[in-house]
Amino acid sequence: MKTLTCRNSNIELLRICLMLMIITYHVMLHGLGLRNVLSADSHITFGIAINSFVIIAVNTFIFISGYFGIRFKIKNIISLLTQAVFYSVVLYIIFSLINNTPILIRQLIQSFLPISTYTWWFISTYIGLYILSPIINKGVSEIEKSLFTKVLIGLFFLNCFSGFIFGTLSGSGYSIFNFIFIYILAQYLKRYNPKFKHPFLYLVISTVLLFTISSGAIAINNTFWGWKVFSYNNPILIFSATMLFYTFKNLPINSNQYINMLAKSTLGIYMIHDYRDLREIMSSYAKDIVNITDIQFGLKLLYLFLLVIAIYTCSFVIDLSRKSVTDRFINNLYIFMRLKYIRLFHEVKHK
């Protein structure tokens, strides 16, 4: 997620909004049980409407990475891996103590390997994209427009037709294949710079279209397609993510240190709130709010909104505390590795 060397506050504000959208998605998903819908009522219809917008957050994160380009740095990988290991290990130990369950050696070892054990699907997949990014960047910089266009069309067919319709190659888009396609799409749009005069209008239209398809499918008892349209490789979702990016890109916002500071914790906030035990607690609170019978629906929505803000705020405070612990470790480890590399280089050179 962190790919900008010079932080533009309009894009950093977008990152903050995207994380709020992801938290909202998880609250609506687990609180309203959208995956298990059999028929539409007012609660479910509203949930589908919200979901039709917030579902594009992950694709937009990848589009940002593609548009500005991932700059492969060992220190960034160390930082990402350190954060993932820190939260995986610490949260496992904390919840083992809270739940009064034994700390098992096998699970403790697995908690030190969050990328391999898929603790967070997004982090594991993004690491793959990060490692591939130098090759992608080099290929994109060398390719000429006509061939670039043909490659992009081919990837679109495999990802947004074969993948989305038939579930092959990229499945539902929770895959590195979809990430690579969006990354390359963003690189293409940055290079040839097409003009989107009304990106927000296009965003609204695509969101309404997505809502209409989903709610229409559920209305005729086709719940499979009612949910499948929210696959990340649905071309409507990818188009919506693109339009959301351009909406924020066009905002006349000067550099703002407070926005930039909040955006730096985006990754930590994601890992904290989407850790399995915390996800269950969040889901429990969301379900309790939805199941309250003696208050109006509008008040329930307010409570759900406050829950999203509370999750974001608490996670942000926790990540600030984490930074004071891990940032020095990351810097020292990076310096140590550089010194080792320099020493090894000189030894090889003088042999």
Side-chain angles (χ1 to χ4, degrees):
M1 296 179 187
K2 290 172 63 179
T3 58
L4 296 180
T5 56
C6 180
R7 290 182 174 269
N8 304 317
S9 290
N10 54 341
I11 302 301
E12 297 308 292
L13 179 61
L14 174 57
R15 294 178 195 273
I16 296 169
C17 292
L18 293 176
M19 186 47 56
L20 287 168
M21 290 164 66
I22 288 175
I23 296 173
T24 301
Y25 167 71
H26 289 150
V27 167
M28 303 298 290
L29 176 71
H30 302 298
L32 294 178
L34 291 182
R35 285 186 183 273
N36 304 313
V37 298
L38 297 175
S39 60
D41 56 23
S42 59
H43 291 64
I44 296 301
T45 299
F46 181 82
I48 293 172
I50 296 297
N51 197 56
S52 298
F53 173 64
V54 300
I55 191 67
I56 65 177
V58 167
N59 284 351
T60 311
F61 266 123
I62 302 304
F63 192 94
I64 292 172
S65 294
Y67 190 89
F68 292 99
I70 294 175
R71 293 162 178 81
F72 186 94
K73 294 181 180 179
I74 294 298
K75 186 175 182 180
N76 288 347
I77 291 185
I78 293 173
S79 176
L80 183 56
L81 292 176
T82 301
Q83 289 183 61
V85 171
F86 177 87
Y87 282 123
S88 180
V89 173
V90 171
L91 290 174
Y92 170 68
I93 294 174
I94 288 175
F95 279 100
S96 294
L97 296 174
I98 291 175
N99 298 325
N100 197 27
T101 56
I103 297 175
L104 303 176
I105 298 299
R106 181 178 178 179
Q107 292 187 2
L108 182 61
I109 293 173
Q110 288 180 346
S111 69
F112 276 94
L113 302 168
I115 306 304
S116 299
T117 56
Y118 230 51
T119 301
W120 299 279
W121 78 268
F122 177 88
I123 301 299
S124 297
T125 309
Y126 187 79
I127 283 286
L129 178 65
Y130 195 101
I131 293 171
L132 286 172
S133 64
I135 298 174
I136 299 173
N137 294 342
K138 182 65 174 178
V140 166
S141 67
E142 298 292 334
I143 197 170
E144 49 93 19
K145 185 176 182 180
S146 63
L147 183 55
F148 197 173
T149 303
K150 293 172 185 176
V151 169
L152 195 61
I153 292 173
L155 290 175
F156 176 85
F157 175 81
L158 294 174
N159 187 55
C160 299
F161 180 75
S162 301
F164 173 57
I165 301 295
F166 298 103
T168 57
L169 292 174
S170 61
S172 296
Y174 292 76
S175 66
I176 194 170
F177 196 100
N178 184 52
F179 280 21
I180 290 172
F181 170 72
I182 295 173
Y183 186 93
I184 293 176
L185 171 65
Q187 294 257 306
Y188 183 92
L189 294 177
K190 181 180 183 180
R191 177 189 287 191
Y192 301 112
N193 196 27
K195 302 300 180 183
F196 299 106
K197 292 184 178 180
H198 306 288
F200 182 72
L201 176 61
Y202 298 143
L203 172 63
V204 171
I205 292 172
S206 58
T207 301
V208 171
L209 178 60
L210 189 64
F211 166 74
T212 303
I213 295 172
S214 177
S215 57
I218 292 174
I220 60 175
N221 297 318
N222 192 336
T223 54
F224 173 79
W225 276 100
W227 183 254
K228 186 174 177 60
V229 294
F230 294 121
S231 299
Y232 286 142
N233 53 359
N234 182 346
I236 299 175
L237 262 68
I238 296 173
F239 178 78
S240 296
T242 304
M243 292 303 101
L244 178 61
F245 171 82
Y246 277 99
T247 297
F248 274 81
K249 181 178 179 293
N250 296 337
L251 292 178
I253 299 178
N254 296 323
S255 180
N256 185 294
Q257 61 177 331
Y258 300 108
I259 292 176
N260 295 350
M261 180 189 68
L262 282 172
K264 286 181 179 180
S265 289
T266 298
L267 192 62
I269 293 170
Y270 167 75
M271 286 190 278
I272 293 167
H273 98 275
D274 202 38
Y275 186 75
R276 55 183 180 272
D277 293 282
L278 283 169
R279 192 189 310 137
E280 292 178 4
I281 294 173
M282 178 185 71
S283 301
S284 177
Y285 277 112
K287 289 176 182 177
D288 288 343
I289 292 172
V290 171
N291 291 331
I292 298 174
T293 57
D294 56 348
I295 64 172
Q296 295 180 347
F297 182 58
L299 197 55
K300 291 182 182 181
L301 296 181
L302 175 61
Y303 288 159
L304 288 172
F305 172 76
L306 293 176
L307 176 62
V308 170
I309 298 300
I311 292 169
Y312 184 96
T313 303
C314 292
S315 299
F316 173 74
V317 171
I318 292 171
D319 194 61
L320 279 183
S321 302
R322 188 273 310 165
K323 285 178 183 293
S324 65
V325 175
T326 63
D327 280 4
R328 183 177 297 178
F329 169 80
I330 293 169
N331 290 330
N332 290 337
L333 179 60
Y334 178 66
I335 292 171
F336 173 79
M337 291 180 65
R338 281 186 60 85
L339 290 175
K340 280 286 187 180
Y341 173 79
I342 293 172
R343 186 179 304 166
L344 179 63
F345 175 78
H346 281 289
E347 288 177 356
V348 172
K349 184 177 179 181
H350 290 91
K351 276 187 178 181

